[in-house]
Amino acid sequence: MSKTYETLGNLKVGSFIVIDNEPCRVVEMSRAKTGKHGSAKAHVVAIGLFSKAKKTLVAPVDTQVEVPIIEKRVGQVIADMGDKVQVMDLESYETFEVEKEFIDEKIRDKVQTGVEVEYFSIMGRRLIVRLR
């Protein structure tokens, strides 16, 4: 199971949400008051974790939205393969590749062979988030 459901009104800035089948982090959220004939609306602005694209969602606050289940894991970089890095999970010893374009620019240059990293496993994809 890679997703769960949450009401839109319960989300906060910094929460995660799935918009257009991509996991995103909420960066801005506002609520409009209830009108004469309707329910309160929430306006959510989120940034895609992989595409870095800005996505917006406007819906009633009681709408059920998908929230990705994020596994936070620790791994070690075992090879730099140009546009990808190979990482070994330090618990399961599973090896996998992460594309460098998905790594944050601030840490991309520091991700080298032998370095321990924290990564998220989200909806079948992996994303290096910080160095240890």
Side-chain angles (χ1 to χ4, degrees), residues 3-27:
K3 296 181 252 184
T4 184
Y5 292 89
E6 180 76 56
T7 55
L8 189 58
N10 290 345
L11 296 178
K12 300 189 262 309
V13 171
S15 303
F16 295 95
I17 185 174
V18 177
I19 301 176
D20 299 333
N21 213 21
E22 173 162 15
C24 304
R25 176 178 270 135
V26 176
V27 292

Side-chain angles (χ1 to χ4, degrees), residues 6-118:
E6 180 76 56
T7 55
L8 189 58
N10 290 345
L11 296 178
K12 300 189 262 309
V13 171
S15 303
F16 295 95
I17 185 174
V18 177
I19 301 176
D20 299 333
N21 213 21
E22 173 162 15
C24 304
R25 176 178 270 135
V26 176
V27 292
E28 196 179 304
M29 184 151 182
S30 60
R31 289 181 180 81
K33 292 206 166 40
T34 341
K36 189 173 179 183
H37 302 285
S39 60
K41 299 266 191 292
H43 178 92
V44 177
V45 178
I47 303 290
L49 294 177
F50 293 100
S51 68
K52 305 287 188 235
K54 190 177 197 179
K55 299 187 180 278
T56 59
L57 175 70
V58 178
V61 290
D62 58 353
T63 302
Q64 292 285 315
V65 292
E66 292 180 325
V67 176
I69 294 176
I70 299 175
E71 269 187 74
K72 297 175 182 165
R73 310 287 305 248
V74 178
Q76 182 175 14
V77 178
I78 55 175
D80 187 342
M81 300 155 36
D83 60 337
K84 296 179 181 176
V85 289
Q86 193 172 35
V87 178
M88 178 180 68
D89 186 285
L90 291 178
E91 260 182 53
S92 67
Y93 302 109
E94 170 194 8
T95 59
F96 55 90
E97 294 174 0
V98 177
E99 293 184 36
K100 281 188 177 176
E101 68 177 280
F102 298 137
I103 302 173
D104 191 1
E105 297 92 37
K106 296 174 193 139
I107 63 169
R108 190 178 298 153
D109 297 333
K110 297 175 187 152
V111 175
Q112 299 165 350
T113 305
V115 173
E116 283 190 16
V117 294
E118 284 183 37

